[in-house]
Amino acid sequence: MESSSDAQALKMKSERLEDELKKLGLKVKHHEDSLRFLKSEIDSIDEAILDKQVSLGRCNSKSPQDSTVNNLQVAEEDTLKSIMKEGGSAAALICQMKYHYSVKALKVPLMKDILGIVATLCRVNDDNLSRLLSEYLGKETMLGIVCRTYDGLKAIERYEKQGMVDVAFGLHGLGSSIGRPPQGRFTVFCLENLRPFSGDFKPDDPQKKLELHKPRLPNGEQPPGFLGFAVNMIYLDHMHLSFLTPKGHGLRETLLYTLFSRMQVYKTRSYMLHAMPCISDGAISLDGGIIRSTGLFYLGSRENVEVKFPVTDITSNLPIDIRDMEEEIKLLKWRRERLLEDRKREEILLDHVKSLFSDKKKEMMEFSAQWNLTQQPKNSQLQLVLSKPNYSS
């Protein structure tokens, strides 16, 4: 009776192991099918991107060149020169690496994640406005480093056990290698972690300006002298306009909204002061008035701004069909990045399930040896499963 009971227990265990092995085999097949599908989707997107880039190249070759493009390049070079004059700043080091050590920079992982410096990512169409916005933000913010992801942030700096900065790692080690180690503290904006603007964009706006409600005085009227919101008075070139974070957000609704929020711009200081009841996130006036936030005024003579945004009268000199194609390419690239992330996750899951399958098969083979000693003939179903060469077919 005891022998019969043991045999029954062994049979039940055999069936359980066989069932678990089959389930793991199905999981392996599921992940392999998912990887094949993702590869097909990525290949399809790669072809679409290539086709659109070829078409875009043809359109660009036919697009007339304008002298204002050269003016923009000069303005950007002036901004870069002013940054590199900032001695041992981290921003100066980044600019040095990108423009004087470009070959070396391409080999440094942390440089690949850095999008640029705040002052180089935006432009305005008026020198006075550029100086006021730059003064409002302050030099430390204008020299802020902008990185794409939190992993990129971690690659910039790490710390020793005592909390001291590891000067041989990241940006500090990179600076030391060219004789320009960064001095003091510096600001870094991590786009992945910035809370984006949650509202809508202005419809059919090529610059993707934010849909912000105009301020209203207590009597319901719009304050006189109101020119607009600073976040929408900044222009992004087509390269930075096409940038997207891993979550699909652009520079305007992340970086620019973090910098300016709903800060308002007025013609004169008197207009700005008159509008105080409807100013919540600061304001500036074109004659030099600055309110940083409710109840916080910035007084005294205007400063000589050393680092400011590039100034150009270009707002959007690209034909609509070129802008549309660039937008399509941007969205395709963003979708490709998401698919690559999905593929990486599937590969990790597949490796994990394969490992479980291998362990379970080993357990089943060991059990089979024990089973063969206690019962004849051999369990045909068990042997059939173990004899299958390819579990994913």
Side-chain angles (χ1 to χ4, degrees):
M1 192 73 176
E2 183 178 354
S3 176
S4 174
S5 175
D6 291 343
Q8 183 66 22
L10 289 171
K11 181 179 179 182
M12 290 177 63
K13 184 175 181 180
S14 170
E15 292 173 349
R16 177 176 62 80
L17 289 173
E18 182 179 346
D19 184 59
E20 291 174 352
L21 195 63
K22 286 180 178 178
K23 287 180 179 178
L24 287 171
L26 290 174
K27 287 185 178 181
V28 170
K29 185 177 185 303
H30 169 74
H31 290 303
E32 288 179 338
D33 290 344
S34 295
L35 282 171
R36 279 191 287 269
F37 170 77
L38 289 170
K39 182 180 184 303
S40 174
E41 288 289 292
I42 292 170
D43 290 343
S44 176
I45 287 179
D46 285 340
E47 290 182 10
I49 290 174
L50 182 60
D51 290 342
K52 290 188 180 299
Q53 285 175 333
V54 171
S55 300
L56 182 62
R58 290 171 181 165
C59 290
N60 281 327
S61 65
K62 297 175 182 178
S63 181
Q65 297 296 315
D66 196 295
S67 61
T68 51
V69 174
N70 293 328
N71 294 338
L72 173 59
Q73 292 173 345
V74 171
E76 290 176 340
E77 288 174 3
D78 289 343
T79 298
L80 288 173
K81 289 177 182 177
S82 66
I83 293 173
M84 286 189 280
K85 287 179 181 178
E86 293 300 317
S89 70
L93 170 59
I94 296 297
C95 291
Q96 284 281 347
M97 289 300 301
K98 284 199 170 186
Y99 300 100
H100 295 301
Y101 299 90
S102 56
V103 175
K104 185 174 182 177
L106 290 173
K107 300 177 182 178
V108 181
L110 74 87
M111 292 296 296
K112 296 178 182 178
D113 194 81
I114 293 175
L115 189 63
I117 308 302
V118 169
T120 66
L121 298 179
C122 315
R123 50 192 170 99
V124 296
N125 61 358
D126 178 79
D127 184 69
N128 183 47
L129 181 61
S130 171
R131 292 178 180 278
L132 283 166
L133 293 177
S134 303
E135 186 178 4
Y136 174 87
L137 293 178
K139 185 191 291 187
E140 182 179 343
T141 298
M142 291 293 289
L143 295 176
I145 297 170
V146 181
C147 63
R148 294 174 170 84
T149 66
Y150 184 65
D151 286 338
L153 175 69
K154 291 190 294 184
I156 291 177
E157 186 173 278
R158 73 179 179 191
Y159 311 93
E160 299 173 346
K161 291 182 179 179
Q162 298 79 11
M164 302 295 290
V165 173
D166 184 350
V167 295
F169 176 83
L171 195 62
H172 300 274
L174 183 61
S176 297
S177 70
I178 62 170
R180 294 181 64 97
Q183 305 295 322
R185 290 186 177 271
F186 52 91
T187 299
V188 180
F189 293 91
C190 178
L191 295 174
E192 185 179 36
N193 293 101
L194 294 181
R195 180 178 294 178
F197 172 69
S198 58
D200 297 321
F201 298 99
K202 288 188 175 182
D204 303 319
D205 190 299
Q207 278 286 312
K208 291 191 174 179
K209 295 178 182 178
L210 309 183
E211 188 70 88
L212 299 171
H213 297 297
K214 292 181 179 180
R216 296 290 175 183
L217 294 169
N219 61 7
E221 296 180 358
Q222 180 177 313
F226 174 73
L227 298 177
F229 293 98
V231 68
N232 285 337
M233 300 176 81
I234 296 286
Y235 291 97
L236 298 170
D237 62 32
H238 64 278
M239 181 181 69
H240 294 136
L241 192 61
S242 65
F243 170 81
L244 290 176
T245 68
K247 294 182 180 179
H249 301 298
L251 276 182
R252 190 177 303 280
E253 64 267 32
T254 53
L255 178 65
L256 296 188
Y257 188 68
T258 297
L259 294 176
F260 298 108
S261 188
R262 289 174 167 81
M263 193 261 275
Q264 302 169 24
V265 180
Y266 288 86
K267 287 183 180 180
T268 67
R269 185 182 279 103
S270 59
Y271 280 137
M272 180 180 72
L273 296 176
H274 177 71
M276 279 178 54
C278 57
I279 294 175
S280 59
D281 294 316
I284 63 171
S285 64
L286 297 185
D287 57 359
I290 295 180
I291 299 176
R292 291 198 178 277
S293 62
T294 303
L296 180 57
F297 297 82
Y298 198 53
L299 306 179
S301 301
R302 296 178 63 172
E303 297 178 355
N304 179 26
V305 179
E306 298 169 345
V307 179
K308 61 185 181 69
F309 294 116
V311 179
T312 175
D313 57 359
I314 297 178
T315 57
S316 183
N317 65 330
L318 292 176
I320 292 179
D321 55 345
I322 292 181
R323 292 202 304 267
D324 289 345
M325 266 189 281
E326 288 178 339
E327 182 70 14
E328 290 171 3
I329 291 173
K330 172 190 69 175
L331 293 174
L332 285 170
K333 286 182 176 179
W334 180 82
R335 188 181 172 204
R336 185 180 187 275
E337 289 177 1
R338 304 291 78 74
L339 288 172
L340 289 174
E341 291 174 358
D342 291 342
R343 185 175 71 178
K344 187 176 181 180
R345 283 193 292 269
E346 284 293 333
E347 288 171 345
I348 293 172
L349 291 171
L350 177 60
D351 289 342
H352 177 65
V353 174
K354 278 186 174 181
S355 177
L356 293 176
F357 184 94
S358 178
D359 292 343
K360 186 61 65 177
K361 187 171 183 179
K362 181 180 178 181
E363 181 184 354
M364 195 166 181
M365 292 180 70
E366 291 173 350
F367 172 77
S368 177
Q370 180 185 1
W371 171 265
N372 290 335
L373 293 175
T374 59
Q375 181 167 325
Q376 296 293 335
K378 298 177 181 178
N379 186 299
S380 59
Q381 290 185 338
L382 177 64
Q383 295 302 315
L384 179 61
V385 172
L386 292 175
S387 64
K388 288 183 179 180
N390 186 0
Y391 49 70
S392 63
S393 61

